[in-house]
Amino acid sequence: MVTGFERGEGTVKANKKELLLTSAVCLLPLLAGVILYPRLPETMATHWGFDGTADGWAPRGMAGFDLPVFILALHLVCSYAESRDTKRKNVNPVLRTVMLWFCPAVSLLGGALTLGTGLGYEMHINTVVSVFMGLLFLILGNYLPKIRRNLTMGIKLPWTLASEENWNHTHRVAGFLWVLAGLVTLAVTLLGAWSSGLFFALLVLTAGIPTLYSYCYYRRHEKGGAQ
């Protein structure tokens, strides 16, 4: 018979293994940078505009190594915050997996684009990044309505954290808008019309509207009365 303590200990060990694996994946571009270092130019592109044109540069030592280390640090901070959440059991397991693998995915994508461009390949930066964003919007939007209140993931506003009803209503609205943003992003990318204006419009759609909705819900249903 497996006790609750044994199950908990097994979960902790599995989480540690998963953290080690994802941390190692974050550093794979660094290993690739070491292997490819002699073939890389002295100065490499590290940032691109919405049209895919490079507008930021760095020495090859920094371009190949700094990004994976920075993303690893961010990954460890996010993982630590999730492990300290007293309501972590409320996080949907699929979204937890997305959160855990987001930084490794960004590290692999950023490393591939940086190193590939440095080696002279045409990487189609704007298309790759916008497709990645569109898929991320779709995945997160599909699961946002399923998140219960927690301190790690979701739309953490004073009104949503204080009220179960506000949290649920806000995340249902946000889920619909995020899925819509994902579909729009993929469609616009296929049409070759991705732009900075569209990017900021999507920010308003996915962040501004849910925030405003949450506050209005609070004003209408909760302020001055019982939840």
Side-chain angles (χ1 to χ4, degrees):
M1 179 178 178
V2 179
T3 66
F5 175 78
E6 290 172 332
R7 284 196 297 269
E9 189 176 15
T11 300
V12 170
K13 289 181 179 179
N15 290 343
K16 287 183 177 179
K17 289 181 180 179
E18 196 171 23
L19 179 59
L20 287 174
L21 175 61
T22 51
S23 298
V25 172
C26 284
L27 293 177
L28 284 179
L30 191 152
L31 176 61
V34 171
I35 296 172
L36 297 171
Y37 189 82
R39 298 174 54 191
L40 297 174
E42 292 295 330
T43 302
M44 296 173 56
T46 56
H47 189 271
W48 296 265
F50 285 94
D51 60 353
T53 302
D55 56 12
W57 307 83
R60 60 179 175 177
M62 294 179 59
F65 307 138
D66 284 9
L67 181 63
V69 173
F70 171 78
I71 293 180
L72 174 62
L74 179 63
H75 175 59
L76 294 176
V77 169
C78 292
S79 298
Y80 176 78
E82 190 272 338
S83 69
R84 302 296 293 178
D85 187 355
T86 56
K87 295 184 177 181
R88 60 185 304 195
K89 64 181 181 297
N90 290 342
V91 176
N92 183 281
V94 175
L95 276 181
R96 182 186 177 278
T97 299
V98 172
M99 185 194 75
L100 197 60
W101 283 94
F102 174 74
C103 283
V106 171
S107 183
L108 290 176
L109 180 63
L113 294 177
T114 301
L115 295 174
T117 302
L119 292 172
Y121 295 106
E122 178 60 50
M123 301 302 293
H124 303 286
I125 305 292
N126 54 338
T127 300
V128 173
V129 172
S130 56
V131 167
F132 178 78
M133 287 180 55
L135 293 176
L136 187 63
F137 274 133
L138 284 175
I139 294 171
L140 294 179
N142 184 54
Y143 285 97
L144 270 177
K146 303 174 184 178
I147 308 177
R148 297 167 59 194
R149 271 192 301 174
N150 69 95
L151 302 177
T152 304
M153 187 175 295
I155 302 172
K156 302 184 294 297
L157 299 168
W159 319 292
T160 56
L161 291 175
S163 165
E164 190 77 34
E165 288 298 317
N166 196 315
W167 176 280
N168 291 336
H169 280 81
T170 299
H171 281 74
R172 280 196 287 268
V173 170
F176 170 77
L177 293 174
W178 282 52
V179 168
L180 178 61
L183 294 174
V184 169
T185 300
L186 293 176
V188 170
T189 299
L190 291 176
L191 294 173
W194 180 249
S195 66
S196 58
L198 176 62
F199 174 74
F200 289 111
L202 291 177
L203 284 183
V204 172
L205 178 71
T206 57
I209 293 179
T211 299
L212 180 62
Y213 174 87
S214 177
Y215 177 71
C216 291
Y217 186 94
Y218 161 75
R219 293 276 298 185
R220 182 174 180 179
H221 298 280
E222 298 167 2
K223 186 177 181 181
Q227 294 182 8

